[in-house]
Amino acid sequence: MKFDFDNIPERRGTGCAKWDEAPEDVIPMWVADMDFKAGPFIIEALQKRLDHGVFGYSFPDNDYYKAVIDWFGRRRGWNIEKEWIIYTPGVIPSLSACIKAFTRPGDKVATHTPAYNHFYSSIRNNGCTLAECSLVRQGDSFIMDFDQMEKTLSDASVKIFILCNPHNPTGRVWTEQELQKVGNICKRTDTILITDEIHCEIEMPGWHYTPYAVAAQNDAEIAGIPFIQLSSPTKNFNIAGLQISNIICPSAEWRGRIDRAVNDNEVCDVNPFGIAALKAAYTPQGEEWLSQMNAYVYENYLLLRDTMKREFGITVCELQGTYLAWMDCASIPLSTDLIQERLTNDSGVWINGGSMYGDARYMRINLATSHALFQEGLRRIVTGLHQLI
């Protein structure tokens, strides 16, 4: 079956954060939210649930757990046990609950920087402080500085390391060997590892996402060492508003602490549509939809990369995963926050300055829209930058 990504619906006037928070004449290419309709197999499942007509308190049934287990087993070779899964309405509430479960105010939480902005707020809101492990630019991409990680995590006040795989905002898909090195450092420093793998199905041609769990089970030094994985179909299938995610943790003792924090934070309920959507997404039809969507988004990336290099000599970093491009604007003699403001107000296109992610030299651009709309947005970016510089 061929899916249609060219014809996107009108989203203004629907209470859409991406579009309705933007001025009327502005093309929003900021928040990580696709403009594509959910796959018809998901819409069909939601319609069936809607037709039932009763939307009371809900919890996942056995088919839900089977869908999660079969999906990761079939696609990634990860054998998950049902009891490892704790359902929640979102990855960020899950992250916050996990930080609460394993830290006290004043502790430190480490992560790679730049980082998704809600990592910073989740750490801060739990009374903890950030310990930075800066990623290192190498060519058109980024690598981990393992020596710095070891030094940072050796600080006894660092209790947790948050790994983002694939990485937002740099677009890196970490290799099995890189993941194993992270796991070994966490083992040596007695640091709890939380992996945010929400973008796990968005992999560009030639790149393959590996769950941390699979990398760990292939390394005798860290196989069996507890970890926490945060997972959700929401980014991958554009169903974030349905609020469904999972914390997956093999350790019963850790799960008890997490479950207590989830209930303390009152993020233990999910809605019936999220349950139905996950079960519909984690099917062979979902795999086919993802394959076509990834290829479609990659064409937008190639156009952005080639255009920015030709017009300005600007590098758009190699996109391995996610649908978020990370553009190096260090050569432009203006702050990226000012560029964001001017492009939004004067050129009618909204892209994000990098300061919110911890590196003001870059800008983040959402690629997940129709070719036609992306081309118009890119035209506005090019015209606006020519006027600015």
Side-chain angles (χ1 to χ4, degrees), residues 262-281:
V262 165
N263 282 273
D264 284 349
N265 285 5
E266 302 291 357
V267 289
C268 47
D269 293 323
V270 293
N271 76 70
F273 293 102
I275 295 168
L278 180 144
K279 291 191 288 187

Side-chain angles (χ1 to χ4, degrees), residues 292-357:
Q292 293 180 33
M293 185 276 294
N294 285 337
Y296 190 93
V297 166
Y298 192 63
E299 292 181 16
N300 283 343
Y301 161 71
L302 292 177
L303 178 62
L304 174 68
R305 183 197 67 184
D306 295 346
T307 300
M308 299 311 292
K309 180 65 72 174
R310 182 183 66 249
E311 295 286 334
F312 306 103
I314 287 176
T315 296
V316 177
C317 296
E318 181 178 35
L319 186 68
Q320 301 173 4
T322 82
Y323 50 77
L324 304 164
W326 192 234
M327 185 169 73
D328 184 352
C329 296
S331 62
I332 300 177
L334 297 169
S335 74
T336 52
D337 287 342
L338 179 59
I339 294 171
Q340 173 184 323
E341 179 184 339
R342 295 288 296 275
L343 288 180
T344 302
N345 294 335
D346 301 340
S347 302
V349 60
W350 182 356
I351 61 178
N352 276 350
S355 60
M356 67 189 299
Y357 309 109

Side-chain angles (χ1 to χ4, degrees), residues 127-139:
C128 297
T129 57
L130 171 69
E132 294 191 50
C133 296
S134 302
L135 294 175
V136 177
R137 178 74 175 268
Q138 185 178 75

Side-chain angles (χ1 to χ4, degrees), residues 35-51:
D35 287 325
F36 310 130
K37 275 189 177 182
F41 47 93
I42 293 177
I43 295 172
E44 181 181 344
L46 294 176
Q47 185 63 56
K48 182 177 179 180
R49 186 65 185 83
L50 179 65
D51 289 343

Side-chain angles (χ1 to χ4, degrees), residues 36-195:
F36 310 130
K37 275 189 177 182
F41 47 93
I42 293 177
I43 295 172
E44 181 181 344
L46 294 176
Q47 185 63 56
K48 182 177 179 180
R49 186 65 185 83
L50 179 65
D51 289 343
H52 181 264
V54 180
F55 315 113
Y57 297 118
S58 301
F59 63 89
D61 57 11
N62 285 331
D63 287 343
Y64 174 96
Y65 293 103
K66 186 176 187 302
V68 174
I69 291 165
D70 288 352
W71 179 264
F72 284 101
R74 181 175 68 249
R75 284 179 63 82
R76 308 298 175 181
W78 182 17
N79 298 317
I80 300 171
E81 301 291 336
K82 177 183 176 182
E83 59 266 24
W84 297 357
I85 302 171
I86 301 171
Y87 59 86
T88 74
V91 162
I92 294 305
S94 297
L95 176 62
S96 184
C98 289
I99 294 173
K100 181 174 183 177
F102 295 100
T103 66
R104 294 179 178 179
D107 287 340
K108 296 178 182 177
V109 176
T111 194
H112 290 130
T113 55
Y116 174 49
N117 53 297
H118 283 290
F119 284 10
Y120 301 129
S121 58
S122 292
I123 293 168
R124 183 175 61 251
N125 291 342
N126 278 283
C128 297
T129 57
L130 171 69
E132 294 191 50
C133 296
S134 302
L135 294 175
V136 177
R137 178 74 175 268
Q138 185 178 75
D140 292 347
S141 190
F142 291 81
I143 59 172
M144 302 182 195
D145 183 339
F146 294 108
D147 291 338
Q148 183 200 33
M149 283 186 62
E150 184 109 31
K151 182 178 179 180
T152 300
L153 271 57
S154 294
D155 179 347
S157 63
V158 175
K159 305 300 183 183
I160 290 172
F161 181 77
I162 305 170
L163 174 73
C164 191
N165 177 39
H167 188 263
N168 172 19
T170 68
R172 267 303 313 271
V173 170
W174 305 118
T175 66
E176 181 171 304
Q177 292 72 30
E178 288 170 317
L179 296 172
Q180 289 167 345
K181 288 182 179 180
V182 171
N184 276 276
I185 292 173
C186 288
K187 177 187 176 183
R188 288 194 295 271
T189 58
D190 195 27
T191 305
I192 291 168
L193 177 59
I194 301 175
T195 72

